[in-house]
Amino acid sequence: MNETSHNAEPDGTCANCGTPLSAQFCPECGQSRDALQRPFIGLAMDTLDGLFDWDGRFLTTLRQLYTRPGRVARDYADGCRARFTPPVRLYVLVSLVFFSVMALSGVRLIGLDVGQGSDNSAYVNAAPFQTGAPPEPVEFTAEQQAQYEEAMRDGGLDTLMPRMLGRALSEPADVEASVNAAASQVLILMVAILALLNMALHPRQPIINHVIYALYGHAALLPFLALSVIVTAYAPLPTLGSIAWLVIVLLAAFWGVWAFDRGFYKSSWWGAALRTAIIAPVYSILALLAALGMIILVSA
């Protein structure tokens, strides 16, 4: 058997389909003429280049998400795709950066506070975006554990809740790690929810347009969220300062949704404001419910 049939075609022809080559890429199938048999560093750089799009589109797209809110997604949906990073790729990259920044900053997406009261009763508190290390486990004897579960059932809680809280008390670090690992799935769910909300409010638009909007919208949201969380967690603000910062963050988020609606759907000033007043609270409530569901699933 001819061994070259398993490797590359002769020079000047495409190794994938055999079409004669006259440029860097095959005119028939689009494959590059570059060979794989070269130093590993070259292959690694090509992989990174394909992933991160080092031709400048990534940073350009990310910048214009803020300088031209909604217009990047609109231009992409209208066919101007060569100048922008595709929405799925941008969303994946920004998500990876978001979770990496959260990990490096020491901010826990969901922080648990567990312990025992003076009467030996156990407590578990959960709050988003906490700093510091996870708490130490609370050790129970078998008798204390039985009393604890009986007290929970006497309080009207089924067996799932005692099991969840029992795991949170005995393995708080593992529960937090599971929650953090599942957070990316919640984000994907929220992309779908945002697309569905806009589908209901803009029923005449094609479904794919709402998906493009949701992906680019979350790619713009995550850096803003990371900055807001880190400042909130580490900035030593007084009470009034914290309230003022929260108001600024909420107003900025509201403006972002409004500007994206205006830029993408070409809505009127008041039409975009009305839809933002609907989307913002509904999205926030559903995000909270999704987060609670995630905590229950990974803690059970």
Side-chain angles (χ1 to χ4, degrees), residues 122-262:
Y123 64 86
V124 177
N125 298 318
F129 309 127
Q130 299 299 299
T131 58
E136 293 296 324
V138 175
E139 299 293 339
F140 283 100
T141 64
E143 181 180 356
Q144 287 176 316
Q145 181 68 26
Q147 292 174 348
Y148 169 69
E149 294 182 0
E150 182 179 357
M152 293 289 291
R153 286 191 292 270
D154 291 343
L157 299 175
D158 59 20
T159 56
L160 175 62
M161 186 63 69
R163 186 167 66 249
M164 287 172 47
L165 296 181
R167 186 180 172 213
L169 289 166
S170 61
E171 304 172 349
D174 289 344
V175 171
E176 287 191 11
S178 299
V179 169
N180 291 338
S184 59
Q185 301 173 29
V186 172
L187 277 178
I188 295 174
L189 175 62
M190 296 315 299
V191 170
I193 287 175
L194 182 58
L196 290 173
L197 288 174
N198 279 294
M199 191 185 307
L201 296 175
H202 299 275
R204 296 183 180 179
Q205 290 276 342
I207 294 176
I208 187 61
N209 284 7
H210 302 304
V211 175
I212 292 171
Y213 173 96
L215 288 167
Y216 276 127
H218 279 82
L221 170 66
L222 291 180
F224 169 77
L225 179 61
L227 176 62
S228 302
V229 167
I230 292 173
V231 171
T232 303
Y234 288 106
L237 296 175
T239 302
L240 290 179
S242 299
I243 295 174
W245 171 248
L246 179 60
V247 171
I248 291 172
V249 169
L250 292 176
L251 289 177
F254 190 92
W255 177 87
V257 176
W258 175 84
F260 255 76
D261 190 281
R262 287 264 291 163

